[in-house]
């Protein structure tokens, strides 16, 4: 090294404050520059495992007015979190990436280890994500729908299989793309040839909504967890509008062997009902933490909920390739009992299914894993 | 009314705290439930008009621990704002809707009066919004692009005109859809037959990025305002990749009369350069607050920046229908001078243009208006 540079004093720049900082070992440090704040805390999706309750952890104030919290080693996942600043829930001001889940925003980061390598945008061919509108005569509405087409769909002359993928209560046509990492999971599994290149259709299962909050003519409304007519059979009865729209507008296999349907929580309930009502339509069913504690019998006038036993027998008789049910071991007993009731019904008529218990509870962490598992088994 | 109900005491529910509350006269009240906070403030896009500086207004604490701030009557617009909680910048915890602009999130609401009725999702037919990827040999990258197709495109056998719409520095292929309300503006103007049903193509103009932050293999990175190679001619030289992709994949008019190009700030600079370099390609140019203070001459080796005078003369000679330039009266003198320099160049060779001065400065408020004006004049 020449003398001149060797003797030159190196000017140290003050390091910019980073949050979240993901360390080599997948522990994470969060920072909040807030010298005027008396108390700061953090709630992260990794802190609770039932999907409902998160403890708040205190952040610690440093001399420089920067509050910090460091986690242990985190599992590979899409993690969400928020801070509390003197009791006010806020997203991390240093993190530009947030996801809306029902009516709240949470900051987000990815630990791309284990199964979560599939949640990352990798250097592989990417499918196309489309947001468009269809007319649903069944619910007298012009409705928004999200559709993923696999890499090569546009230039291929082939017909593709379709997975209809349904959201849970408080969700909408954005949920599987945002919280579910649908496009990344599909791109990556297709690139590894672990999943067929298929189309994934994500409708809005809330018939009271024409579109996700912010995308409808209601404007930037405050989203509600509970909406009218979500589990009264209206969505299920009108599902033929969606099938018709997809089969008229996309190059798809127009028979049972080319159709799968899956959903989480309320979407799992919808999946059970739709696949039973349209009893010869789907070869593959995926029920992720299905909210089968809701009983169709409560709405006796709903056309999609009539003759349950007969339709279930018909579904069995017509045949299918996979009926896949998963549930987290920390789910509510109510939900677990609902699933066992439906399994009993299936057992009574000798209907086959795959049943899988996972760790944790009613969480996106589970549903993303369910998706990765399920799409490798279909078509 | 039967006596029994008449004598029944009506139980008053405590009113939920709402923020933002938009009043009948388009004034707005913001609320923040934060009893443990010593100071709360608000910065709103309507408070500053140059696009760079926003004063902070103090919120006032009520007896119930709810801080409030009430505006005067606000103009129709998509407004953004954030709170400060003991000095920490946060989005409104009661508002689920936020937009990322460069590296920060801001809460958002719409006053749907005046021109902003075009920014609202109205009950009109909606176009389709597509996010897909194309291969750019020019920048050796697989790159993400946003495309709007008008209502009826899918079922029509016709060829459509295309507007190529470019973002500014710190922006990406999401910006015109998020901050620019592109899909809503197009849907509404097309429904009123004030604009032709056209395709709008929104590429990512940062050649150092394959996609918007969060959508690329870089993961959930902190977005930068300044990126390498944004105004060195690389994007302009590789623009033929985008033209090729669009014309191979969409039913479009493949001649000058079917092509327009427009952009804001850096995108206005790109528009000037692209339309000059591809001198017989576009019939309509829109430069919204163009950053023409950047001089192509600084990059003499850039192929798209060579022979500026000759190419400009060629662009004139080839003919075009509209060269539209707008600038806010409160823009920086540097930017305004850059525009006057380019106008001088055009004047010297007798090139015609439309020049429009607007209120305010370097703001999305201006660019949304520019868009509404410009798309009514093309095709």
């Amino acid at each position: 090294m020449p003398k001149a540079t060797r003797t030159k004093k190196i000017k140290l720049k003050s390091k910019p404050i980073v949050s979240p900082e993901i360390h080599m070992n997948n522990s994470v440090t969060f920072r909040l520059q807030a010298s005027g704040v008396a108390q700061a805390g953090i709630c992260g999706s990794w802190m609770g495992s039932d999907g409902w309750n998160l403890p708040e952890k205190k952040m610690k104030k440093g001399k420089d007015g920067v509050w910090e919290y460091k986690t242990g080693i985190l599992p590979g996942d899409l993690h969400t979190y928020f801070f509390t600043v003197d009791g006010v829930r806020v997203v991390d001001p240093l993190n530009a990436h947030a996801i809306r889940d029902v009516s709240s925003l949470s900051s987000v980061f990815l630990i791309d280890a284990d199964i979560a390598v599939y949640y990352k945008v990798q250097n592989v061919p990417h499918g196309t994500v489309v947001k468009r509108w269809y007319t649903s005569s069944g619910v007298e509405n012009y409705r928004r729908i999200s559709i993923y087409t696999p890499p090569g769909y546009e230039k291929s002359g082939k017909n593709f299989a379709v997975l209809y993928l349904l959201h849970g209560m408080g969700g909408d046509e954005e949920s599987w793309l945002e919280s579910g990492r649908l496009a990344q999971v599909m791109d990556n599994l297709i690139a590894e040839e672990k999943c067929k290149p298929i189309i994934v259709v994500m409708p809005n299962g809330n018939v009271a909504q024409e579109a996700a909050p912010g995308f409808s003519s209601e404007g930037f409304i405050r989203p509600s967890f509970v909406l009218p007519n979500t589990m009264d059979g209206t969505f299920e009865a009108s599902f033929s509008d969606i099938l018709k729209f997809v089969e008229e507008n996309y190059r798809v296999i127009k028979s049972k062997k080319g159709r799968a349907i899956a959903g989480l929580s309320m979407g799992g309930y919808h999946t059970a009902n739709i696949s039973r009502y349209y009893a010869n339509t789907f070869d593959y069913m995926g029920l992720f933490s299905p909210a089968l504690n809701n009983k169709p019998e409560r709405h006796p006038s709903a056309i999609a909920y009539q003759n349950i036993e007969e339709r279930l027998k018909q579904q069995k008789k017509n045949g299918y390739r996979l009926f896949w049910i998963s549930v987290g071991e920390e789910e509510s007993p109510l939900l677990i009992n609902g699933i066992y009731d439906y399994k009993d019904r299936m057992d009574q008529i000798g209907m086959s299914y795959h049943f899988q218990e996972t760790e944790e509870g009613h969480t996106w962490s589970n549903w993303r894993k369910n998706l990765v598992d399920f799409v490798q088994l279909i078509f």
Side-chain angles (χ1 to χ4, degrees), chain A residues 9-16:
Chain A
K9 227 179 177 174
I10 294 159
K11 201 179 168 185
L12 287 169
K13 270 193 192 171
S14 70
K15 222 177 143 187

Side-chain angles (χ1 to χ4, degrees), chain A residues 75-78 110-120 122 181 184-185 188-189 192 194 356 364-374 376:
Chain A
D77 206 348
L78 180 78
L110 184 72
I111 300 284
D112 58 338
D114 316 318
I115 198 169
V117 295
Y118 293 116
Y119 310 161
K120 190 176 185 296
Q122 307 279 4
R181 302 294 283 172
Q184 292 74 35
V185 166
N188 293 326
L189 288 175
E192 288 193 348
K194 289 186 169 169
Q356 180 167 315
W364 270 109
S365 182
N366 269 339
W367 303 324
R368 283 184 291 265
K369 287 178 195 160
N370 295 161
L371 177 72
V372 171
D373 285 350
F374 182 71
Q376 294 186 62

Side-chain angles (χ1 to χ4, degrees), chain A residues 75-299:
Chain A
D77 206 348
L78 180 78
H79 295 285
T80 58
Y81 67 101
F82 57 87
F83 292 156
T84 56
V85 173
D86 287 337
V88 180
R89 176 189 168 142
V90 301
V91 296
D92 182 345
L94 292 174
N95 186 346
H97 304 285
I99 288 178
R100 179 180 64 77
D101 195 22
V102 196
S103 60
S104 301
L105 292 172
S106 293
S107 296
V108 68
F109 66 95
L110 184 72
I111 300 284
D112 58 338
D114 316 318
I115 198 169
V117 295
Y118 293 116
Y119 310 161
K120 190 176 185 296
V121 178
Q122 307 279 4
N123 281 315
V124 298
H126 301 299
T128 297
V129 174
V130 178
K131 309 286 172 83
R132 58 190 287 190
W133 297 69
Y134 69 99
T135 309
S136 182
S137 57
V139 293
E140 292 176 81
N141 226 336
Y142 199 48
R143 313 196 72 227
R144 193 163 176 266
I145 194 163
S146 301
I147 296 174
Y148 167 91
T149 58
Y153 167 80
E154 290 90 350
K155 295 276 179 178
S156 159
K158 281 190 279 186
N159 293 331
F160 288 73
V162 182
L163 165 62
Y164 294 85
L165 190 58
L166 312 180
H167 61 79
M169 212 163 173
D172 49 59
E173 75 276 15
E174 300 281 313
S175 305
W176 271 108
L177 288 163
E178 295 286 316
S179 299
R181 302 294 283 172
L182 184 279
Q184 292 74 35
V185 166
M186 296 308 296
D187 285 354
N188 293 326
L189 288 175
I190 291 168
E192 288 193 348
E193 296 186 5
K194 289 186 169 169
C195 167
K196 297 279 191 325
I198 61 170
I199 295 172
V200 184
V201 173
M202 291 152 280
N204 183 316
N206 309 311
V207 293
Q209 277 181 346
E210 60 182 20
F215 292 97
S216 81
S217 56
E218 292 182 300
F220 291 110
I221 51 157
R222 185 163 170 76
S224 302
F225 185 68
V226 180
L227 290 164
N229 306 107
T230 48
M231 291 194 264
D232 67 355
T234 314
F235 178 64
E236 291 94 325
S238 70
F239 200 78
S240 54
D241 296 333
I242 294 167
L243 288 167
K244 188 168 172 276
F245 169 76
V246 170
E247 304 203 343
E248 281 180 3
N249 285 277
Y250 290 83
R251 286 196 324 281
V252 299
I253 298 165
K254 295 180 189 178
S255 63
K256 192 164 69 170
K257 70 169 190 213
R259 297 191 202 101
I261 185 165
L264 75 92
S265 194
M266 177 179 83
Y269 170 80
H270 284 157
T271 295
N273 298 330
I274 291 166
S275 68
R276 188 184 66 237
Y277 178 57
Y278 301 93
N280 200 24
T281 307
F282 302 96
D283 247 353
Y284 307 90
M285 278 62 72
L287 287 69
F288 312 160
S289 308
L292 291 162
N293 47 310
N294 294 282
K295 301 292 181 195
E297 287 84 350
R298 284 178 208 153
H299 305 273

